[in-house]
Amino acid sequence: MDVALASMCQAMIADVGMDSALDMVKHAGSVSCTEVANTFATSALLMLDSRQPEPSADEQLEVLKTLGEAGAAMDDVASRLQALAPASGASALSCAVLAIGERGFSSESLTHATHTLAAKAELSSMRPPKLLELAVASTKSASLAPVMSAVAQIAAGAAGLWQTSDLVRLLLAIAKTKGALNPANKTELLQRAAVALTPELGGLPAADLVKLVLAIAGDGCSQLLVAAAEEAVERRISSFPSAQLLILTQGLVQGLGGAHALVRRLGEFWTESLKDTGTGADSDDEVNKRRRELEQRMRLSADHLVQLARVVAPMASNRPLVEALGSQILARVRELTEMGRKSLETQLAVESGLGQYSRRERLRRAAFCCGRSHSRSRSRSRSR
C-alpha cells in the first residue's frame, strides 16, 4: 500500500511547494508511510538545493530536522547534516541531531556531525532540559555518543543548576550508554552529582529514587549510593509498592553487595513481608488488619517471587528469606509461567539461594509436575 501510494504521489510532486512537501512528509511519517515520506522528502531536498540565494546553514537544518523527525531520507539527511555542521549554530544543529537520534538512526555521517556539535562552545550555554534530551537520545543512537560526553562534562560543572529529577535522568541515560564516557569524566560527574543530590534525597519521588539507585549501582559502592540506600531502606521501605521494591533490591544488591548492613536490613523486611500469616491471622484486631494490608501491598506475582529469589541469592545470612520465598513459591507454583518455571528450576539446581530451601525437592517436583501439566494443556489445545 505504501509503495502504491508513493507511486501515485509522483504525479503531484511538480505542483507541490516546499511547505506542502514538508507537511506531506510529516503526515506520511506519522502513519509510517515511509515510501510516501521519502518521495516528498526527495522533492523538498531538490527544492532546497535550487533556492536562490542559497539558504543559510541554520535554515537548511530546519528542513533536515523536519525530515529527520519523520524518519524520511535519513542517509541523505545525515550526510547533509555532516556537511552543514561546521557552519551551523549549536542550537539549530542540536535540534536536527536530536530529531534523527530520536529515531534510533546511526551512521558515520551522523557521528561526524555529532562530534562537531560536541566541540561547539555554545553547547555549554544550552539549558539543562535540552542537554538532557540529547543525552537520552544517545541511548537510542550510538552516533550521538560524542555529545553524551560533552553533556556530562557540562553537567559536572553546573550540577547544582540542574533540577534533581533531570540530573537523575541524566545519570540513568549515562548508565544505559556503557562506554560513552571515559572513566575520569564519569567519576567527576558522579562526585558533583553526589554533592547536588544528597541533600535533596528526602524530596525525591520514589520512582526517581529507584532510578537513581539503578543509575549508579553499576559503579559499585559510593557515598551517593549509600545515601540513597539509607533514604530508601531506613526511611521509606514500607512505602514502596512490591514491584518497585524488587527493582530497588536488585540495584542495591548489585551496588552495595549482599553483605552490606542496609542490604541485610532490606532482606529482613522482605522476610517479614513474605512469611506466612500464621495462627490468628483471620482475627480482626488492629495488628492483623495492618499486617493483611501490608501483605496485600507487598504481594508479588509468582514469577516475580522467583525473580526476587534470584536477586537476593547473594545476600549474607539470608536463610529465613529463602524459607519465606520457597514457601510462597511452593504455594503458588501453578501460577508460574513457562519462563518463571524454567528460572525456578535453574535456581533449584545450585546450592545457593533457593537451592538451600528446606523443601527444595518438594518444590522441584511441584515445578516439574506443573510444567508437564502445562505441556499437556498446550498439546490438547493444538489438537483441537
Side-chain angles (χ1 to χ4, degrees):
M1 177 65 77
D2 186 21
V3 175
L5 284 174
S7 179
M8 293 169 61
C9 290
Q10 291 290 342
M12 58 187 294
I13 286 177
D15 299 322
V16 172
M18 175 66 82
D19 290 342
S20 297
L22 293 178
D23 283 341
M24 292 299 295
V25 170
K26 291 178 186 177
H27 291 312
S30 68
V31 293
S32 300
C33 287
T34 306
E35 292 300 324
V36 174
N38 286 340
T39 296
F40 284 98
T42 300
S43 174
L45 292 173
L46 288 172
M47 285 185 278
L48 186 65
D49 291 340
S50 63
R51 276 188 173 178
Q52 293 297 330
E54 181 181 356
S56 68
D58 285 5
E59 289 173 331
Q60 293 182 61
L61 285 179
E62 187 62 31
V63 174
L64 298 182
K65 170 178 170 288
T66 300
L67 304 187
E69 288 173 339
M74 296 295 264
D75 287 315
D76 198 356
V77 169
S79 178
R80 289 166 178 262
L81 201 60
Q82 178 185 354
L84 292 168
S88 303
S91 178
L93 181 57
S94 66
C95 288
V97 166
L98 184 61
I100 302 174
E102 286 282 2
R103 281 277 177 171
F105 178 82
S106 295
S107 73
E108 187 175 340
S109 295
L110 181 57
T111 301
H112 283 301
T114 306
H115 269 294
T116 303
L117 172 62
K120 289 185 179 290
E122 310 98 285
L123 190 68
S124 61
S125 63
M126 287 188 183
R127 295 177 61 80
K130 177 59 70 175
L131 295 173
L132 177 61
E133 285 186 67
L134 287 168
V136 172
S138 298
T139 67
K140 304 175 184 178
S141 170
S143 291
L144 269 64
V147 83
M148 171 68 90
S149 182
V151 168
Q153 292 182 58
I154 294 168
L161 302 179
W162 282 58
Q163 294 287 334
T164 54
S165 59
D166 286 348
L167 195 52
V168 169
R169 289 182 63 200
L170 174 62
L171 293 175
L172 190 59
I174 289 171
K176 291 178 179 178
T177 53
K178 294 179 175 62
L181 300 187
N182 65 55
N185 287 344
K186 189 171 187 180
T187 297
E188 182 183 6
L189 175 60
L190 289 174
Q191 290 173 345
R192 300 293 183 87
V195 173
L197 288 173
T198 300
E200 307 297 330
L201 291 175
L204 273 184
D208 282 346
L209 189 58
V210 173
K211 288 177 184 176
L212 175 60
V213 168
L214 294 178
I216 61 179
D219 297 295
C221 187
S222 64
Q223 290 184 341
L224 180 56
L225 182 59
V226 170
E230 288 175 346
E231 175 65 29
V233 177
E234 300 292 353
R235 302 182 184 91
R236 302 201 207 177
I237 192 167
S238 61
S239 65
F240 287 100
S242 56
Q244 204 171 53
L245 187 61
L246 170 56
I247 298 171
L248 178 70
T249 302
Q250 181 175 337
L252 293 181
V253 171
Q254 177 191 7
L256 299 179
H260 197 282
L262 288 167
V263 173
R264 294 201 305 272
R265 169 74 183 91
L266 187 54
E268 292 167 0
F269 180 81
W270 274 117
T271 302
E272 289 300 313
S273 303
L274 294 168
K275 69 183 182 182
D276 295 335
T277 304
T279 306
D282 293 331
S283 63
D284 290 329
D285 62 83
E286 195 61 31
V287 173
N288 280 313
K289 282 183 179 179
R290 287 199 299 271
R291 181 163 181 168
R292 285 197 297 272
E293 290 173 359
L294 176 62
E295 288 171 348
Q296 187 62 34
R297 188 165 66 250
M298 294 303 299
R299 186 175 176 84
L300 291 167
S301 70
D303 276 24
H304 279 158
L305 287 171
V306 174
Q307 182 182 347
L308 176 61
R310 177 182 55 78
V311 166
V312 302
M315 283 187 182
S317 305
N318 70 340
R319 189 59 182 269
L321 179 53
V322 168
E323 292 298 314
L325 278 166
S327 297
Q328 287 277 344
I329 296 170
L330 181 59
R332 300 172 60 190
V333 70
R334 292 183 177 277
E335 299 174 25
L336 290 172
T337 64
E338 182 69 13
M339 184 178 297
R341 185 184 60 79
K342 288 181 178 179
S343 177
L344 174 60
E345 291 175 349
T346 299
Q347 293 183 55
L348 292 173
V350 298
E351 298 302 320
S352 60
L354 280 177
Q356 299 177 330
Y357 179 45
S358 60
R359 291 185 284 178
R360 169 185 178 180
E361 290 306 317
R362 182 177 174 186
L363 181 54
R364 193 201 306 272
R365 289 194 300 272
F368 177 74
C369 292
C370 180
R372 292 185 61 185
S373 175
H374 287 171
S375 296
R376 287 195 297 270
S377 296
R378 287 195 298 270
S379 296
R380 286 195 297 267
S381 297
R382 285 194 294 266
S383 64
R384 289 192 185 120

